[in-house]
Amino acid sequence: MKAQRDVWGQTLVDLARTDSRVAVVDGDLATSTKADLFADAFPDRFFEIGIAEQNMVGVAFGLSTLGFRPWLSTFGVFLTHRALDPIRMLVSQTGAPVKIAASYSGLLNGSSGKTHQDIEDLAIMRAMPGMTVIAPADAIEAEAAIRWAADHDGPVYLRLARDAVSDIFSPGHAFTPGTVHVLREGNDALLVSTGVQSSRVMDAAALLAEEGIEARVVHVPCLKPVDEAALLSALSGPAPIFTIEEHSIIGGLGGLVSELVTSTTLGKTVTRLGLADAWSESAPNSYLLDKYGLSPARVAGQVRHALADD
Amino acid sequence: MSRTQATKTGTAELQRLAAAGRWHVIKTVADAKAGHIGGPLSAMDLLVSLYFNELSVDPGNPQDPARDRFILSKGHCAIGLYSVLALRGYFPVEELATFDQGGSRLQGHPDMKLTPGVDSSSGSLGQGLSAGAGMAMAAKQLGTDFHTWVMLGDGELEEGMVWEAVHTARRFKLDNLTAVIDLNGLQQYGWPVSEDDDRFDRSNPWSGVDLSGVFTCFGWNVISIDGHDFDAIHDAFDRVREQRGSGKPTVILAKTTKGKGVSFTEGTYKWHNGIATPEQLASAAAELGQVFEGEAK
Ligand SMILES: Cc1ncc(C[n+]2csc(CCOP(=O)(O)OP(=O)(O)O)c2C)c(N)n1
Ligand SMILES: [Mg+2]
């Protein structure tokens, strides 16, 4: 069990040994994101731009036009919000092979509070034509996604969490864009999740099982592109659908699943769990997970409650 | 309505307040297990001088429309501001213990909707000077004569938006706006030390750059001081007041030491943030307690 940020720098160092295109463009946060490992190993391909996120994106784009595959590395919030226009025009609209490593994503960022919590990134990035949007479940899937992205000739958004969660996948796991993973079978409820929240949802499913409620857990690591047929088949059956994400309930995974379900004749209700159109706050992780209904116990409680109401 | 000056506070008292403020920073961050140290400590003498000797504010009436405005643009130094606001009487010093805890009025970054005395939210660097320019423009438009102060970090100056605001402030002749730059020579990570810079374990972000000249070229008044010298700080504030009417905004370039006041945090980027061990807390208490007595336990 490692944190995604811990495998981030190390994986890039590994890749850079054999791939001269790999470069890192940092925004003065290499000690937090762990990109400092890369800075030490490959100082010539580590570009410290300072506290200037829009500038970082422009520089990364420029590097990419001469064969580099640069990784933008800073807190995700300052890329998806501060630097959104350059990402939109220079990266998404050109299809440049710039990789956006969004560190400290979601709610849990070491008590920094709402200014640093990025709970809208999936909605924003999903809306970008041509952007691959990945939210890995654990450090193993993060590493696999980094390796895949390094080889992909186009823009990639990678949502990385600060703190470790229990592993879902086993070492050697490979990432394939679009794939949907059914992590657990069950016919009483369908729990769809993404990112590190999937690990907490697995724990929630275990709690529900203790009460005799068997939930199918569907992990969607790639919000774009997504294998729609595979996701629809994972969502079929009579059980009600819940989407659970460390993100706003608007436009992220809940948006994706709702869009998909309403464009078919599946005719099922989707209950979206996550940040209900509200800004959060500074607090320890356990407090935030509990308050915003994302801890295993709270997820299980909400599912149990909804099933009882049916 | 004319501007009322804060009652003058003597240097010895300012030193005591700054030491108390520094202690609250390091202790609160250690207890919360999260937060910044180096920037709050480098800014402490400036913050104390502003709140105890310059700003026309009333802690009992924090929303007074005539109050001077202060924006901590380098919002990660919130605990420094909160410590000074508490010492100044905006809320009890005991409330500092709620920093970063769920439901607290004292968020990791300043929140104007929660904390009495906070005039603008901040946390994403580079936005405060624009906010201050807007306040100064409104003041001119409405004919109110409060002064707007914005504190920025030197790393923060790398943000393009800062320079957009520098342009706006000159364009709109905002002589009622002052930027105070905490030139502590370090940011969070920055660049390795280069030959022209031997003082720190990381390079000064502006080494080789004539910052004073840059602001002058942009049409600002420039005052360069030692940001730990209370007399120099007060002279600078006096000159800011004299410049009102000049049609130019003023920048105070305050040279400081990151982590100032506690030996083991001084002059290193490694204490940009950090949690002091019990032993480190004891040594900080001993060092600071000599100045402000008793309180550091
Ligand atoms: C837009 C933005 N980018 C990055 C950060 C993360 N960050 C917080 S503090 C800091 C370094 C700030 O350095 P400086 O302005 O010199 O402040 P000080 O030395 O006074 O702490 C960084 C990069 C941020 N808060 N906002
Ligand atoms: Mg600095």
Side-chain angles (χ1 to χ4, degrees):
Chain A
M1 181 173 116
K2 282 188 193 161
Q4 293 182 340
R5 63 169 168 159
D6 286 326
V7 300
W8 142 255
Q10 192 51 54
T11 305
L12 280 195
V13 169
D14 290 351
L15 287 169
R17 289 204 184 98
T18 52
D19 186 345
S20 59
R21 300 169 302 179
V22 175
V24 171
V25 177
D26 180 45
D28 193 34
L29 287 172
T31 40
S32 299
T33 62
K34 307 293 170 99
D36 54 354
L37 285 174
F38 190 92
D40 293 341
F42 293 96
D44 293 346
R45 281 189 269 159
F46 177 81
F47 301 101
E48 179 55 70
I49 303 304
I51 312 167
E53 293 79 10
Q54 297 169 313
N55 187 31
M56 283 172 68
V57 177
V59 167
F61 162 75
L63 288 166
S64 77
T65 64
L66 280 105
F68 285 100
R69 292 207 171 157
W71 289 77
L72 289 163
S73 176
T74 182
F75 292 167
V77 74
F78 302 128
L79 290 168
T80 62
H81 298 263
R82 186 59 153 276
L84 184 58
D85 191 349
I87 286 175
R88 180 173 183 272
M89 187 184 84
L90 292 174
V91 178
S92 180
Q93 293 185 351
T94 66
V98 170
K99 319 298 166 182
I100 305 167
S103 200
Y104 283 50
S105 295
L107 264 189
L108 309 183
N109 58 20
S111 310
S112 288
K114 66 187 168 198
T115 54
H116 288 49
Q117 288 159 337
D118 199 356
I119 51 162
E120 314 107 271
D121 59 326
L122 298 176
I124 293 168
M125 288 297 147
R126 273 188 70 227
M128 291 258 173
M131 185 70 73
T132 300
V133 182
I134 307 173
D138 57 17
I140 293 167
E141 193 176 29
E143 172 171 350
I146 293 165
R147 291 181 183 276
W148 174 82
D151 242 11
H152 174 64
D153 188 18
V156 176
Y157 177 77
L158 182 65
R159 182 184 231 236
L160 296 171
R162 175 185 189 268
D163 297 324
V165 294
S166 330
D167 287 337
I168 296 279
F169 293 101
S170 314
H173 173 74
F175 175 84
T176 316
T179 304
V180 168
H181 298 275
V182 176
L183 299 177
R184 180 183 177 118
E185 270 304 349
N187 291 318
D188 299 326
L190 277 171
L191 311 186
V192 191
S193 188
T194 189
V196 291
Q197 182 62 28
S198 291
S199 179
R200 293 187 286 264
V201 168
M202 283 298 278
D203 292 344
L207 292 176
L208 287 167
E210 286 170 15
E211 306 165 22
I213 300 171
E214 291 300 335
R216 180 184 302 163
V217 177
V218 182
H219 168 58
V220 183
C222 191
L223 286 92
K224 191 177 181 173
V226 67
D227 182 340
E228 296 193 350
L231 183 51
L232 275 173
S233 110
L235 298 178
S236 60
I241 301 171
F242 299 84
T243 60
I244 307 139
E245 58 199 308
E246 194 186 319
H247 184 272
S248 167
I249 59 169
I250 298 171
L253 179 70
L256 166 70
V257 170
S258 303
E259 290 157 21
L260 193 61
V261 167
T262 52
S263 66
T264 66
T265 54
L266 208 56
K268 291 173 71 167
T269 310
V270 177
T271 303
R272 291 168 296 141
L273 305 181
L275 275 283
D277 201 16
W279 296 117
S280 174
E281 65 198 278
S282 298
N285 289 356
S286 56
Y287 177 97
L288 294 175
L289 291 176
D290 204 49
K291 174 160 180 183
Y292 295 100
L294 296 169
S295 63
R298 289 275 282 121
V299 170
Q302 290 168 96
V303 171
R304 186 194 312 116
H305 190 80
L307 292 179
D309 279 355
D310 259 8
Chain B
M1 205 173 84
S2 71
R3 286 162 38 79
T4 48
Q5 231 40 71
T7 335
K8 286 285 175 202
T9 308
T11 302
E13 176 62 1
L14 291 171
Q15 271 161 354
R16 197 193 65 81
L17 288 162
R22 288 186 166 100
W23 168 249
H24 291 312
V25 168
I26 197 157
K27 174 80 165 88
T28 307
V29 168
D31 288 346
K33 297 191 172 52
H36 293 80
I37 300 285
L41 296 194
S42 63
M44 189 53 72
D45 296 328
L46 293 159
L47 287 170
V48 161
S49 299
L50 277 163
Y51 275 92
F52 285 88
N53 252 351
E54 177 56 31
L55 296 180
S56 170
V57 289
D58 175 4
N61 184 14
Q63 291 300 325
D64 180 359
R67 73 190 184 282
D68 284 344
R69 303 301 197 272
F70 176 76
I71 299 175
L72 183 68
S73 187
K74 52 167 194 153
H76 60 283
C77 300
I79 188 58
L81 176 62
Y82 299 156
S83 298
V84 174
L85 290 175
L87 292 168
R88 185 75 168 81
Y90 281 88
F91 46 83
V93 166
E94 292 71 45
E95 193 170 337
L96 292 173
T98 69
F99 175 63
D100 264 355
Q101 304 307 304
S104 173
R105 296 198 290 180
L106 308 179
Q107 294 286 297
H109 294 84
D111 187 328
M112 63 186 283
K113 294 290 186 187
L114 288 178
T115 313
V118 169
D119 289 325
S120 173
S121 294
S122 56
S124 175
L125 291 164
Q127 305 189 25
L129 194 57
S130 301
M135 292 177 190
M137 286 156 71
K140 288 207 177 249
Q141 196 77 21
L142 300 172
T144 39
D145 71 350
F146 67 78
H147 199 87
T148 300
W149 298 80
V150 182
M151 180 180 281
L152 300 93
D154 46 4
E156 183 180 14
L157 294 186
E158 290 152 14
E159 283 287 358
M161 187 168 165
V162 171
W163 301 98
E164 298 172 28
V166 165
H167 175 253
T168 298
R170 166 61 183 158
R171 171 64 44 195
F172 287 82
K173 300 187 168 54
L174 301 180
D175 51 13
N176 54 349
L177 174 71
T178 297
V180 181
I181 320 278
D182 181 359
L183 290 174
N184 60 26
L186 293 167
Q187 46 197 75
Q188 174 157 343
Y189 187 63
W191 295 265
V193 176
S194 58
E195 281 158 34
D196 58 339
D197 197 327
D198 55 7
R199 185 170 155 212
F200 299 112
D201 44 9
R202 298 297 276 179
S203 167
N204 184 314
W206 298 101
S207 62
V209 175
D210 175 13
L211 263 190
S212 163
V214 170
F215 275 96
T216 307
C217 287
F218 266 104
W220 283 53
N221 292 312
V222 179
I223 303 172
S224 296
I225 58 165
D226 171 349
H228 300 305
D229 177 341
F230 287 109
D231 292 336
I233 295 171
H234 298 140
D235 286 352
F237 292 168
D238 285 344
R239 284 172 60 196
V240 165
R241 240 170 283 116
E242 288 160 16
Q243 312 274 18
R244 285 172 63 95
S246 72
K248 287 176 160 200
T250 297
V251 59
I252 298 178
L253 296 176
K255 190 128 178 49
T256 61
T257 300
K258 195 150 179 164
K260 175 77 177 178
V262 178
S263 319
F264 61 86
T265 65
E266 276 191 13
T268 172
Y269 78 111
K270 290 185 178 135
W271 275 93
H272 174 73
N273 42 24
I275 293 140
T277 62
E279 297 72 41
Q280 287 170 327
L281 271 184
S283 105
E287 209 169 332
L288 295 166
Q290 290 172 357
V291 192
F292 76 104
E293 301 133 30
E295 256 189 89
K297 279 183 230 94

